[in-house]
Every structure is written in C-alpha cells, then in structure tokens.
Amino acid sequence: MPASIPAVNASPAEHLLALYRTMARIRAFENAAEEASRGSVAAFGAASDTAALVRGPLHLSTGQEAVAAGVCANLARSDYLTSTHRGHGHTLAKGADSAAMMCELFGRAGGTNKGKGGSMHIADFAVGMLGANGVVAAGIPIAVGAAHSAKIRGSRAVVACLFGDGAINRGPFVEGLNWAKIFELPLLFVCEDNRYSATTATGAMTAGAGAAARARGIGLPADTVDGNDVLAVDTAARDLIARIRSGGGPQFLHALTYRVKGHVSVDAAAYRDQGELQRALEGDPLKLAGLQLAALGVAAERISAVDTEAQAEIEAALAAAHAAPPPEPTEAYADVQDTGAGQWR
Ligand SMILES: Cc1ncc(C[n+]2csc(CCOP(=O)(O)OP(=O)(O)O)c2C)c(N)n1
Ligand SMILES: [Mg+2]
C-alpha cells in the first residue's frame, strides 16, 4: 500500500494527517513539474540546451487534491484506478513512485513508462494504476473492462474510475455506466467536477440535473460530495467502496471541486471571472484540512513538518530526474504497440 494510506486503526487526527500528506505530496509534485516545464512552449520542438526539462504544457490538478487523496485512501494496491489527462494526483495517491513519475515527465529512462509516455500516459501497473489518458472519457471503458475482468476472475479487486465533468457529455460515459450496471461490476465511478472543460464552464453545456442524476437514471446509486473536503471525500468513498465489496454493484460519486489553474500550465484562464477564482481559493483543500487538523488538536509544527517532508521528497524526485539518462535509441520500439509496420524500422 502507498505509504500515505491511513492505517486502519489510526486516530482521527492521524487519519486526517495521512490524507493531508497525500495532498501535500501532490501539490509539491505539481508545483515542481510546472516549474520544470517553464519555457516549454518557446522551446517546443527545438533541440536546444535551453529547452525546458519537461516538454509541453501540463494539465495540473492544483486545488483538486482532496479527490485523489480521499478516493485512493480507500483502495488497496491490488485495486485498480483509471485516470484522465489531469492524472498526476491520482497516480501519486494510488502509490506510484514520485521519482519515477518525475523521470517520466522529463522523458528519462527511469520513468514509469521508461520515458516514452510523458504526463498524459503515465501508467504503473505494479500499483494498479492503469493509465492516464489524453482522450476525454477514454478511461471509462478501460475501467469497465478491468472491473469485468476482476468479476470473471472472482477477485475482490475494486476499480475506481476518475473522470472530469466534461467526460459526462461523451458517449463512453453512458456506455460504460450501462455495461457496469448490467453486469453489476465492482466499480466506483468518480466524477471530479472542477467546473471547467478546457476553456468552457461545463454547466453551460450540460443538460439536465448533472452527473449524479444521470448516473441514477442508469440505476447507479449516486452521492454528491464537497470535493475540496478530503474527509468528506474519504468518508463517502469508504462507504461506497464497502458497498461495492459486499456485492452492491457499481456506485457513483460526484465530487465538486474547482480547477484553480488554467486548462494547461500555459493557459492564463483569462476567460474566467477573477472573483470566482478568489472565492475558490478560500476553499483550498489543504487550507481546509489544516483547519480541521488544528481543530483536532494537531500542532502547527506537525503540519508544517509534513509540508517539509513532501517538499524534500519532490526535490529528491527532481534530482533523480535530472540525473537519469534519456532512453537508449535502441529501445525506441520496445514496450510500445507492435503495429506490424516493420518498414518503419
Ligand atoms: C475525445 C476528446 N475530445 C476533446 C478533447 C480535447 N480536450 C482535452 S481536455 C478537454 C476538457 C475535458 O474536461 P473535463 O473532462 O472536465 O476534464 P478537466 O480538463 O476539467 O480535468 C477537452 C475538450 C480530447 N482530449 N478528447
Ligand atoms: Mg472539468
């Protein structure tokens, strides 16, 4: 299990501190990755010494960390997870190694995908992380397939399928929920609703009463939760996953959060009302968990020690990525899909 999964018998304070730790690690990882990608647009495509260490813009989940932390705290290593184009937080929370992830972002040999995938293709099957995905809603049928496989094999594994509010307007959403319900698959669907689909406010292009209502229409029990409150996400996910493990079939969680940064790291989000952003920042999930920890009697020094540890972990990850070599050219066709197109070699 990932080190930051709360121990079963932890006190409420220790439990929340473990959730906080996961969020702090995600925040530190993404801040560092964003910094390493600076200048990548100017340098994109240019093989220059000044090229950014992480090529191309990143999809950051800043402000959404409570969803990843709260859901994944209730998954074992043997459970599965599918993710989106905004998947760093999900991947870390599922237990992937931060140094291997940073190597992947840098395109280095020590990466989770040997440096050939990058941010939007990170996968780590060793911890049940079945992949980030650049195609909106494409993780849904993968999760359904994994859950059907688990059911056929008689495994106790549960699959958590994370997707955005934009994904519910694509066909695989209906197809996936329908199949999961028909076969009563062990699957937790989680709509991570950050209120935006690229540059568009999702509400304006989504008919009906929203994600949970759509899920109920297909027969799935659905809860809505404050996705910035890590304890609320954790409690909801625990209950839903317990129902799934006791044979209750697929469940649905609609987690309401907010995309603090632009769609990608180079998007200044000028289309957005600044007051809206300021209001959202007041509900920052780390800030909120900090207040909850203080109310439980946890000293400020313990909380800042967790921040310091997270920072140190990510600095070590950066150092590992700097030191790692690029993949060998002879490895270019290893571990990638064999299209049979031998002429390209
Ligand atoms: C099938 C498909 N259509 C369009 C895109 C372009 N695109 C990338 S991310 C995105 C918005 C997705 O919004 P949401 O699902 O809410 O995820 P978020 O970016 O908010 O995390 C779009 C339209 C894509 N990658 N795939
Ligand atoms: Mg969204």
Side-chain angles (χ1 to χ4, degrees):
M1 285 214 210
S4 48
I5 283 188
V8 177
N9 295 319
S11 70
E14 294 302 325
H15 183 81
L16 180 52
L17 206 54
L19 295 170
Y20 181 90
R21 183 175 296 117
T22 303
M23 295 197 293
R25 293 173 64 230
I26 297 170
R27 181 73 57 94
F29 181 92
E30 294 204 301
N31 284 347
E34 182 179 22
E35 186 60 37
S37 75
R38 290 252 156 83
S40 59
V41 169
F44 194 67
S48 112
D49 287 345
T50 56
L53 292 157
V54 175
R55 297 294 192 96
L58 295 170
H59 300 83
L60 302 164
S61 67
T62 315
Q64 303 176 205
E65 296 90 346
V67 181
V71 169
C72 292
N74 294 285
L75 298 174
R77 182 183 282 256
S78 50
D79 292 323
Y80 298 103
L81 181 91
T82 63
S83 181
T84 66
H85 49 285
R86 204 177 297 288
H88 306 139
H90 309 152
T91 310
L92 266 174
K94 187 66 177 75
D97 179 65
S98 54
M101 285 177 63
M102 196 64 84
C103 283
E104 190 56 38
L105 264 55
F106 275 53
R108 304 293 170 96
T112 49
N113 305 49
K114 302 185 183 175
K116 291 185 268 183
S119 167
M120 279 196 286
H121 296 108
I122 286 186
D124 188 351
F125 291 2
V127 298
M129 200 289 173
L130 301 182
N133 206 309
V135 180
V136 173
I140 296 176
I142 295 171
V144 170
H148 210 143
S149 160
K151 180 166 178 159
I152 289 168
R153 289 182 286 119
S155 135
R156 269 184 52 78
V158 162
V159 183
C161 171
L162 287 113
F163 51 88
D165 41 322
I168 74 168
N169 290 330
R170 289 211 62 237
F173 175 80
V174 175
E175 296 175 31
L177 267 65
N178 182 64
W179 189 278
K181 184 61 193 166
I182 292 293
F183 291 98
E184 296 290 0
L185 299 181
L187 222 165
L188 177 62
F189 291 101
V190 182
C191 178
E192 185 171 4
D193 186 347
N194 63 8
R195 323 298 175 108
Y196 279 88
S197 302
T199 56
T200 308
T202 315
M205 59 178 202
T206 305
R214 286 191 190 178
R216 284 188 206 106
I218 303 175
L220 277 79
D223 287 352
T224 299
V225 73
D226 177 354
N228 278 17
D229 180 343
V230 73
L231 271 181
V233 177
D234 171 53
T235 304
R238 187 182 324 131
D239 290 351
L240 295 172
I241 289 171
R243 280 192 227 162
I244 296 168
R245 289 206 204 277
S246 59
Q251 310 285 319
F252 192 96
L253 184 63
H254 183 197
L256 294 164
T257 179
Y258 190 79
R259 197 193 72 203
V260 166
K261 301 221 164 157
H263 174 57
V264 285
S265 46
V266 294
D267 169 19
Y271 43 83
R272 177 166 73 180
D273 172 50
Q274 284 306 304
E276 177 187 300
L277 173 62
Q278 288 313 314
R279 283 191 296 283
L281 289 174
E282 283 163 24
D284 178 82
L286 281 121
K287 187 172 148 187
L288 185 59
L291 293 173
Q292 292 166 331
L293 284 165
L296 287 170
V298 177
E301 297 74 46
R302 275 206 77 197
I303 303 172
S304 56
V306 170
D307 291 332
T308 307
E309 273 169 35
Q311 203 58 45
E313 175 192 341
I314 300 310
E315 273 160 28
L318 278 174
H322 276 286
E328 290 293 335
T330 52
E331 293 289 299
Y333 294 102
D335 305 311
V336 295
Q337 186 182 11
D338 185 354
T339 61
Q343 70 271 27
W344 299 113
R345 297 180 180 85

